[in-house]
Amino acid sequence: MKTIHIFIVFILVAVAQLILPAQMIFNQEDILKTGTAFKFKTQPVDPSNPFKGKYIYLNFEANTIKTTDSTWSRHEPVFVSVVEDSLGFAMVDKVTRVKPSNGDFVNAKVSYYSSYDKTLRLDYPFNEFYMNETKAFDAEIAHANAQNDSIPNNTYALVFIKEGETVLDNVFIDEIPIADYVE
Amino acid sequence: MNSKLIKELPQLVKDQVITEDVARNIEVYYQLKQDDKPNKLFTVFGVLGSILVGLGVILILAHNWDNFTRATKTIFAFLPLVIGQLFVGYSIFKNKSATWKEASGTFLFFAVGSSIALVSQIYNIPGDLSSFLLTWIVLCLPLIYLLKSNALAMLHIVFATYYACNYGYGYFTMQQTPWLYLGLMVLVLPHYWQLLKNHPKANVTSIFNWILPLSCTIILGAFVNNQGDYGYLMYVILFGLFYNIGKIPFFDDQKLRRNGYLIFGSVGTVILLLWTSFNWIWEFNENNLTFASQEFFIALFLFVVTAMVLGYSYSKKWIKGFNLFHIVFIMFTVLFFIGTSNSIIPTIAINCIIFALGLITVKIGTDKFHFGILNYGLLIITALVVCRFFDTDMSYVIRGLLFVSVGAGFFITNYVMLKKQKSKLNSKH
């Protein structure tokens, strides 16, 4: 192969290497700009990823739904329709296997179905919030402390939703972004 | 070593062992060889430097600089990637040396990983580690061939192994099989083939001779899902395959330390056999074993491939004489299926096979006057005896006698061979 041919192929590879992260950014920005914002009540825990850094793992309160249908299998992809409750937090309206034609929904996965209490548990695709490595552990502590004040659970994740795709924008404790709260 | 020889040259000329011309030729020869060396060293250091810088960049970005805005962080995500691409583009366009290509390619490899990781971090995209690794590996795969880079090929194998481990061995993902790993490995084979063809004796080729069987050995277990007992069979056949590949003259004629296949095959077979020489291994529930399982078909596939290599070796007359190691995988396969209904026969047979393998290895060692092989054979027998030491249903006296006799065997065989070697040397002089 001539140098110029190798070079042309390389340019294609380089473009692919650039397009993939750019595509990721574009999708996420689009959801942030045109998607609907929902507040998901949550509890943070602090693990880490070798490449992406420290994050807080979010346990959401609105991750279950009562159902008598017991045919759900683990990791099965599902559509979760969400609505706002009276306090303005997200709650699960219904879970379906077919794409809902209207309303806001999240592409989620089945965690497991408990036949004991007839509850379906869900895994959301926005359960990791990446934080500065010095703040991630503090964030978990801050949340635990905030739990002890007068308001029951005041930690929530702000999630933008557009046609099933989601972007986790920020996590708030007492209406303050968690990164600022721990400072 | 060379400098020592060059220092000796004036003395050799003086004593009229060699002429002055020959001395000069020798000096020039080593000079030229020396000039060739720094190049290789540069490449190694260039690659190591790139790996360290690349990993460093990933760690610095993983810190998560939350004072920066999203836009600034996004620029940082692309910066190492673009720098890496410029360097690689430059070294391709200007057709720079291998050092340039290896080092810039290695840096670009890590830059690709860091940019995907950082974008995921900025937008809190969860995604599991294995799919992240897979995207990363695939995006860098063409670079192996564009740059003809050994470093990238090695990184590819290492990261493909990492991917498959994460995919197949994870706590929640035991039921998954990393089939794509096979594809990733096949895609790197043309590069390896070129190395074997063009540089069979190069150090870098022998590194591949080691990491390929190592990677396969690590990953094979990830292909076992429910039928865990087939794991023994799959591994014994895999090691049989490695042994038979290692015995192909192309590899066998090289130094032993370059022949990862032979060593993996031999040591792996012995370890697996020792493991299955315990009776309790064979007391598995035969009802759990089914033929219509992924594990059975993988074992069958490996068996057919290994049998083909063995058959080809025989047809080419590469195998001279009888060596039990070549056919252990066939015997084990038969014993494995006998073992589904009877646990005594395979236990006894495998103990006999290990003992025979030890004796054969000792015999080869004495025939070749190779102390390493001789003691490896004795080590096999010792390991067998040590394993039986833990079988409490054997009398203490018998176990004691076994130990004493094997220990004595060590002394006697080494002593006899040393004597033989000495007398051979004496007769030569």
Side-chain angles (χ1 to χ4, degrees):
Chain A
M1 227 179 357
K2 272 193 199 151
T3 304
I4 189 71
H5 295 143
I6 296 179
F7 193 72
I8 290 167
V9 178
F10 167 69
I11 294 293
L12 293 176
V13 174
V15 168
Q17 288 170 347
L18 288 166
I19 282 178
L20 186 102
Q23 175 79 22
M24 287 162 79
I25 293 172
F26 181 77
N27 285 345
Q28 308 287 313
E29 283 294 341
D30 180 49
I31 297 165
L32 283 176
K33 285 205 186 87
T34 58
T36 322
F38 276 91
K39 294 173 182 175
F40 283 80
K41 278 196 200 168
T42 183
Q43 293 182 2
V45 204
D46 154 48
S48 73
N49 175 297
F51 298 101
K52 298 191 245 175
K54 285 250 177 196
Y55 61 92
I56 49 176
Y57 181 83
L58 303 171
N59 277 328
F60 294 101
E61 284 184 9
N63 70 343
T64 55
I65 187 167
K66 290 262 179 197
T67 170
T68 45
D69 179 1
S70 62
T71 57
W72 309 95
S73 57
R74 260 175 172 281
H75 305 304
E76 180 184 351
V78 286
F79 300 96
V80 181
S81 296
V82 285
V83 289
E84 274 186 0
D85 64 9
S86 56
L87 294 170
F89 290 107
M91 61 180 252
V92 180
D93 181 34
K94 58 180 187 288
V95 178
T96 51
R97 287 192 177 92
V98 284
K99 202 171 176 174
S101 50
N102 56 354
D104 286 302
F105 62 93
V106 176
N107 299 341
K109 276 183 179 163
V110 170
S111 177
Y112 63 90
Y113 177 77
S114 163
S115 48
Y116 171 70
D117 50 7
K118 303 215 176 343
T119 309
L120 180 67
R121 280 185 192 279
L122 303 159
D123 276 335
Y124 288 123
F126 45 79
N127 50 14
E128 293 172 12
F129 182 67
Y130 285 84
M131 292 193 74
N132 183 292
E133 61 174 327
T134 55
K135 291 180 185 167
F137 179 66
D138 294 345
E140 188 185 338
I141 303 292
H143 164 76
N145 292 338
Q147 282 289 72
N148 295 334
D149 59 22
S150 53
I151 319 164
N153 184 359
N154 40 14
T155 309
Y156 68 85
L158 185 65
V159 180
F160 285 78
I161 300 174
K162 185 186 177 187
E163 293 182 11
E165 297 293 323
T166 54
V167 179
L168 170 56
D169 184 57
N170 215 333
V171 176
F172 294 88
I173 300 179
D174 294 340
E175 300 296 332
I176 304 167
I178 194 162
D180 298 336
Y181 189 90
V182 294
E183 264 178 3
Chain B
M1 182 90 178
N2 301 341
S3 62
K4 204 175 163 191
L5 184 71
I6 287 168
K7 267 184 207 159
E8 291 278 317
L9 288 176
Q11 188 66 38
L12 291 171
V13 173
K14 204 175 156 195
D15 294 346
Q16 293 180 335
V17 178
I18 54 171
T19 64
E20 222 160 291
D21 278 345
V22 174
R24 203 171 304 124
N25 282 345
I26 292 175
E27 224 167 313
V28 169
Y29 172 76
Y30 280 112
Q31 205 83 52
L32 279 176
K33 242 190 163 179
Q34 210 78 60
D35 287 345
D36 213 27
K37 253 187 190 163
N39 217 339
K40 267 186 200 163
L41 212 59
F42 261 140
T43 310
V44 172
F45 284 127
V47 168
L48 283 179
S50 295
I51 291 177
L52 292 174
V53 173
L55 285 172
V57 167
I58 290 179
L59 287 178
I60 292 168
L61 294 178
H63 168 79
N64 199 333
W65 301 86
D66 57 357
N67 300 337
F68 294 124
T69 60
R70 214 167 248 172
T72 323
K73 284 204 266 185
T74 311
I75 293 170
F76 276 120
F78 282 97
L79 199 62
L81 182 60
V82 173
I83 292 173
Q85 289 181 337
L86 286 177
F87 272 113
V88 171
Y90 177 73
S91 38
I92 291 177
F93 199 62
K94 291 276 175 185
N95 209 357
K96 299 292 269 185
S97 63
T99 309
W100 261 89
K101 288 183 176 169
E102 296 274 358
S104 59
T106 307
F107 180 76
L108 180 57
F109 180 86
F110 286 102
V112 169
S114 84
S115 80
I116 308 172
L118 190 56
V119 172
S120 307
Q121 183 202 75
I122 297 169
Y123 291 98
N124 302 304
I125 304 169
D128 47 308
L129 191 58
S130 54
S131 62
F132 163 71
L133 289 169
L134 184 65
T135 319
W136 181 358
I137 299 166
V138 170
L139 277 178
C140 291
L141 176 69
L143 294 176
I144 300 174
Y145 295 98
L146 293 175
L147 295 169
K148 294 200 175 73
S149 164
N150 296 317
L152 281 171
M154 282 180 217
L155 283 171
H156 176 89
I157 296 171
V158 170
F159 273 75
T161 312
Y162 186 9
Y163 155 76
C165 278
N166 199 277
Y167 191 82
Y169 284 129
Y171 184 72
F172 293 109
T173 55
M174 287 306 262
Q175 298 306 313
Q176 294 177 348
T177 308
W179 294 111
L180 282 173
Y181 165 82
L182 298 178
L184 291 173
M185 279 305 176
V186 167
L187 286 171
V188 83
L189 284 183
H191 180 84
Y192 181 51
W193 181 253
Q194 286 294 322
L195 273 179
L196 290 179
K197 218 166 85 181
N198 302 329
H199 312 279
K201 296 261 150 68
N203 280 330
V204 72
T205 314
S206 54
I207 295 178
F208 281 95
N209 291 347
W210 276 94
I211 59 172
L212 277 171
L214 175 66
S215 174
C216 295
T217 307
I218 293 172
I219 297 309
L220 185 67
F223 287 82
V224 179
N225 288 341
N226 305 320
Q227 306 268 306
D229 292 320
Y230 273 120
Y232 299 119
L233 184 62
M234 285 158 67
Y235 267 106
V236 169
I237 300 175
L238 180 75
F239 290 132
L241 177 64
F242 286 160
Y243 189 86
N244 281 304
I245 292 176
K247 273 291 175 187
I248 292 172
F250 179 85
F251 291 111
D252 200 30
D253 292 345
Q254 299 193 25
K255 283 194 181 118
L256 190 61
R257 67 178 159 82
R258 291 181 186 280
N259 196 346
Y261 294 104
L262 188 70
I263 294 177
F264 262 98
S266 175
V267 176
T269 305
V270 170
I271 291 175
L272 248 294
L273 288 181
L274 284 170
W275 185 250
T276 48
S277 72
F278 287 93
N279 186 242
W280 56 266
I281 293 284
W282 295 96
E283 286 164 355
F284 51 67
N285 188 353
E286 68 275 9
N287 297 331
N288 290 342
L289 278 185
T290 56
F291 289 116
S293 67
Q294 161 187 330
E295 291 82 357
F296 174 76
F297 285 108
I298 293 171
L300 183 69
F301 173 76
L302 282 171
F303 188 89
V304 170
V305 172
T306 313
M308 271 158 59
V309 173
L310 183 65
Y312 191 72
S313 299
Y314 268 114
S315 71
K316 287 270 171 188
K317 302 214 167 33
W318 287 338
I319 303 173
K320 294 172 195 85
F322 175 76
N323 183 349
L324 192 62
F325 266 107
H326 284 289
I327 54 157
V328 163
F329 74 98
I330 300 174
M331 299 167 84
F332 188 88
T333 308
V334 174
L335 289 171
F336 182 84
F337 289 107
I338 294 175
T340 54
S341 56
N342 183 329
S343 70
I344 303 295
I345 297 172
T347 314
I348 294 170
I350 281 171
N351 278 285
C352 295
I353 292 174
I354 300 171
F355 190 64
L357 286 177
L359 287 182
I360 287 168
T361 313
V362 170
K363 170 105 178 28
I364 295 172
T366 47
D367 288 350
K368 285 189 177 173
F369 275 105
H370 193 302
F371 279 93
I373 299 176
L374 169 82
N375 284 308
Y376 174 54
L378 288 170
L379 203 65
I380 294 173
I381 299 173
T382 312
L384 179 66
V385 174
V386 170
C387 285
R388 291 297 69 77
F389 187 84
F390 293 109
D391 280 353
T392 42
D393 51 354
M394 204 187 265
S395 131
Y396 284 94
V397 180
I398 294 178
R399 277 190 271 165
L401 285 175
L402 266 173
F403 267 72
V404 171
S405 51
V406 172
F410 256 101
F411 284 122
I412 294 164
T413 41
N414 275 292
Y415 179 73
V416 168
M417 199 156 98
L418 203 64
K419 270 218 144 172
K420 259 192 192 169
Q421 202 173 27
K422 268 187 188 159
S423 67
K424 217 178 182 184
L425 277 176
N426 284 339
S427 65
K428 262 187 194 166
H429 281 296

